[in-house]
Amino acid sequence: MERVKNLLISCLLAVVSWCGAQEIALPESATGVVSVKPGKSFRCVVEVEPETFYILSARRNTPVHSGETGLSGILRSAENRWLFQYFGIPNSSSPGMLTAKICTPANAKKLEIRLESGNEQVEFSGLRLEKVNRNQITDGHSMELWLNMDYFDEVYYSRKLGTELYAEQEIKHFFQLCRKRGVTGVFWRISIHGQVAYRSRGAATVFPGHAPIEQLNEGQQKVARVLQMIDPLEVAVREARKNGIQIMIWMTLSDEAIPHPTIPDFCMSEFQRNHRDTMLMNRQGEVLPGTMCYNEPEAIKYRLNMIRELIDYKADGFYLCTRSHSHEFARDSGDDYGFNPSIVAEYKRLYHRDIRTEDFDLEKWRKIKSRGYDEFLQKASAMIHESGQKVILGVAAATLSNGVILGNYGNTPFPWKENLRSGRIDGIVSGQYMVSDYFASREYNRFLQVTQPGQKLFFWAQIYHYGKRKTFSAEELLQQAKTFAFLEANGILYHEALNFEENDAGLFLPVSKFFQKKGAVQ
């Protein structure tokens, strides 16, 4: 009877697999029922193709009472070098079913499949590896379509959009176009580095701050003029509501300035100009402009005051983004910055050493540096959630896999798992520029290991390649969208709205159609 049951399960798995997927032959030892126990795992190796989609699945037949047990696939190069381990994620409607979705990189050659159990004997059946043809993915109707709206850019480059100023009427038209194209929501950027593009009541510095108007170029002067005419954020929230579009306030957390040939501290807030110790410092006490050190209590207080003020606009929530331009001042090789007074004092209190002049434990220092960032996130999340709004966190394309903030925080660890499990954040945007298929599948796998019901994963999709100075074609964007649809991401965040508005018929329309069609795979 048990053999019949397992045969039926295997047949069922074959029926529900993706239409057009090609099953990959596994060793005979992988067929039927596979039993594992502590110290005796199952392992087999199959060849895979580079830059290809795969689905690895198996059913866990035995209820697990304790310990770690599961399915995983380890990608290896031709030289057998370990690349990444994908874990089988239980299906919420069928917890015994474990599935891993894999996008192989260019150097992938082998997939090592493992079935393991930590504390007891467990049986698996229906072990299966399938190759999915990207062309079989015909739409992304299950995903949400989001746009990054950097309002500064819309005004600065307004002539590209056929208008002299991008003001109230243009914002109205934008949200009407979003409704027409089936857009789910907009991340509306209020940050102009350390300054802002909304009418702050005193918590922030409105662009251009201290900068003399006559030293600004034409585009910057237009931004300053529009900010005297209207409050763009107020108009945006109003028009989003009229058109049924969600709107999140996009705030960068450590992107506080940009170099300028004649204006010192350009786009820097008055707060940071008066509190330079809130910029990340190296061991010599030199600051890295464009950064914010959240170990300094004044930095947390400043940012929370901004959030408190912005909550009153009654958007749907906040997109807190770790993206930064501070590399234009100097680069952090990983552990060059983070020797601010509060960090120095805390390390000395705990370990009785001065990290500026004495040898110190790198990991202990990194953890202290991380605490400030995490403390800010906890307090910001509590404040935003109390208002009934949501928190989406934007991270680098490798943060979930590597566990570090990256960017101008270098190798600083970031407890993203704890923030998801605790419910402090409602979703994550993975990526801040280019996101390859391989990195997307890595982050997707890590996210699913810890996500709670209702939390969402979005992928950043870049429309314009800064290095090559070219806009991706609709076909190129759709190829990437198929990757995110294969991974069953909750949504795609396109950067940025300006590129779609500039070419509605050639880019925005064909990409939006991908989200509107029905039947994800045919």
Side-chain angles (χ1 to χ4, degrees), residues 363-404:
E363 290 304 317
K364 291 177 179 177
W365 167 71
R366 287 173 178 166
K367 287 179 180 178
I368 292 173
K369 185 180 172 185
S370 176
R371 286 176 200 158
Y373 214 104
D374 199 45
E375 180 186 349
F376 158 72
L377 188 58
Q378 289 183 44
K379 291 180 176 179
S381 172
M383 182 185 295
I384 294 167
H385 281 155
E386 187 176 352
S387 73
Q389 299 178 28
K390 293 185 179 296
V391 180
I392 304 295
L393 182 69
V395 298
T399 291
L400 307 191
S401 297
N402 297 341
V404 295

Side-chain angles (χ1 to χ4, degrees), residues 122-392:
V122 177
E123 289 187 347
F124 294 86
S125 64
L127 184 60
R128 186 182 185 91
L129 180 66
E130 298 169 288
K131 182 171 73 171
V132 176
N133 185 343
R134 186 193 297 261
N135 292 328
Q136 296 292 325
I137 304 171
T138 59
D139 74 69
H141 76 282
S142 63
M143 297 189 296
E144 298 177 358
L145 170 58
W146 286 75
L147 303 184
N148 266 347
M149 162 59 89
D150 189 334
Y151 183 68
F152 178 93
D153 287 352
E154 302 288 319
V155 179
Y156 192 94
Y157 297 107
S158 61
R159 287 178 183 165
K160 288 186 176 184
L161 305 177
T163 182
E164 187 59 30
L165 284 180
Y166 197 99
E168 187 163 357
Q169 289 304 314
E170 288 75 18
I171 295 173
K172 287 182 178 181
H173 176 266
F174 169 71
F175 280 101
Q176 290 167 358
L177 181 61
C178 286
R179 180 182 62 189
K180 186 177 180 181
R181 295 287 173 254
V183 170
T184 307
V186 171
F187 288 179
W188 187 278
R189 189 176 186 186
I190 54 89
S191 303
I192 305 179
H193 303 290
Q195 297 175 1
V196 297
Y198 74 94
R199 286 188 176 172
S200 172
R201 300 189 302 272
T205 303
V206 180
F207 180 84
H210 67 283
I213 292 292
E214 63 274 10
Q215 291 189 40
L216 302 181
N217 65 28
E218 182 185 15
Q220 293 160 352
Q221 288 185 19
K222 284 198 298 183
V223 175
R225 189 158 75 250
V226 170
L227 290 175
Q228 291 178 343
M229 295 166 52
I230 64 169
D231 184 339
L233 181 58
E234 181 182 30
V235 176
V237 173
R238 183 189 71 212
E239 294 304 313
R241 294 286 176 259
K242 284 183 180 179
N243 289 278
I245 307 296
Q246 295 179 50
I247 183 167
M248 306 287 285
I249 294 173
W250 172 12
M251 172 189 288
T252 47
L253 300 180
S254 188
D255 186 23
E256 307 304 303
I258 197 78
H260 190 281
T262 61
I263 305 174
D265 297 340
F266 186 55
C267 287
M268 187 179 290
S269 66
E270 287 304 310
F271 163 78
Q272 205 166 50
R273 292 185 74 209
N274 296 322
H275 297 83
R276 303 190 81 84
D277 59 339
T278 62
M279 304 179 202
L280 289 170
M281 296 179 177
N282 63 18
R283 293 185 84 177
Q284 291 72 46
E286 299 166 334
V287 299
L288 176 57
T291 61
M292 184 72 78
C293 178
Y294 288 100
N295 293 81
E296 298 300 328
E298 288 300 312
I300 293 181
K301 181 180 177 181
Y302 164 72
R303 191 68 73 192
L304 292 179
N305 283 339
M306 280 184 65
I307 291 173
R308 186 177 293 108
E309 181 176 76
L310 287 162
I311 283 173
D312 291 341
Y313 280 86
K314 301 188 184 306
D316 292 290
F318 287 75
Y319 168 43
L320 304 179
C321 180
T322 60
R323 193 169 183 253
S324 180
H325 295 77
S326 65
H327 61 273
E328 297 189 28
F329 291 98
R331 290 187 179 272
D332 183 353
S333 63
D335 296 304
D336 298 331
Y337 292 87
F339 297 85
N340 293 64
S342 292
I343 297 174
V344 172
E346 180 65 3
Y347 195 98
K348 193 166 188 178
R349 183 185 73 80
L350 292 173
Y351 307 113
H352 313 295
R353 300 186 74 82
D354 188 334
I355 58 176
R356 294 169 300 185
T357 57
E358 300 177 88
D359 292 339
F360 62 93
D361 186 300
L362 198 61
E363 290 304 317
K364 291 177 179 177
W365 167 71
R366 287 173 178 166
K367 287 179 180 178
I368 292 173
K369 185 180 172 185
S370 176
R371 286 176 200 158
Y373 214 104
D374 199 45
E375 180 186 349
F376 158 72
L377 188 58
Q378 289 183 44
K379 291 180 176 179
S381 172
M383 182 185 295
I384 294 167
H385 281 155
E386 187 176 352
S387 73
Q389 299 178 28
K390 293 185 179 296
V391 180
I392 304 295

Side-chain angles (χ1 to χ4, degrees), residues 408-459:
N408 55 31
Y409 263 73
N411 295 324
T412 306
F414 177 61
W416 64 270
K417 292 181 182 180
E418 290 80 354
N419 280 289
L420 275 174
R421 286 174 177 146
S422 66
R424 290 187 203 117
I425 54 180
D426 302 292
I428 283 178
V429 173
S430 177
Q432 299 168 348
Y433 186 37
M434 313 297 290
V435 180
S436 70
D437 294 353
Y438 171 56
F439 275 98
S441 65
R442 286 176 42 168
E443 302 302 275
Y444 162 85
N445 192 256
R446 287 292 194 232
F447 179 82
L448 286 191
Q449 284 181 269
V450 299
T451 184
Q452 306 296 311
Q455 292 174 330
K456 295 182 177 182
L457 175 65
F458 303 91
F459 285 108

Side-chain angles (χ1 to χ4, degrees), residues 52-154:
T52 304
F53 297 166
Y54 290 92
I55 299 177
L56 176 63
S57 60
R59 177 167 291 277
R60 186 172 52 203
N61 301 328
T62 311
V64 178
H65 303 291
S66 63
E68 292 294 325
T69 179
L71 162 74
S72 68
I74 301 175
L75 274 180
R76 295 186 182 277
S77 66
E79 301 78 27
N80 213 38
R81 184 168 62 87
W82 189 94
L83 299 175
F84 189 72
Q85 184 172 14
Y86 293 83
F87 294 91
I89 308 299
N91 188 310
S92 58
S93 60
S94 179
M97 182 70 189
L98 305 177
T99 303
K101 292 189 173 182
I102 301 168
C103 301
T104 58
N107 59 341
K109 187 67 176 177
K110 305 172 186 177
L111 180 67
E112 179 184 328
I113 301 172
R114 290 185 177 183
L115 296 170
E116 299 173 288
S117 179
N119 291 336
E120 54 192 312
Q121 183 166 323
V122 177
E123 289 187 347
F124 294 86
S125 64
L127 184 60
R128 186 182 185 91
L129 180 66
E130 298 169 288
K131 182 171 73 171
V132 176
N133 185 343
R134 186 193 297 261
N135 292 328
Q136 296 292 325
I137 304 171
T138 59
D139 74 69
H141 76 282
S142 63
M143 297 189 296
E144 298 177 358
L145 170 58
W146 286 75
L147 303 184
N148 266 347
M149 162 59 89
D150 189 334
Y151 183 68
F152 178 93
D153 287 352
E154 302 288 319

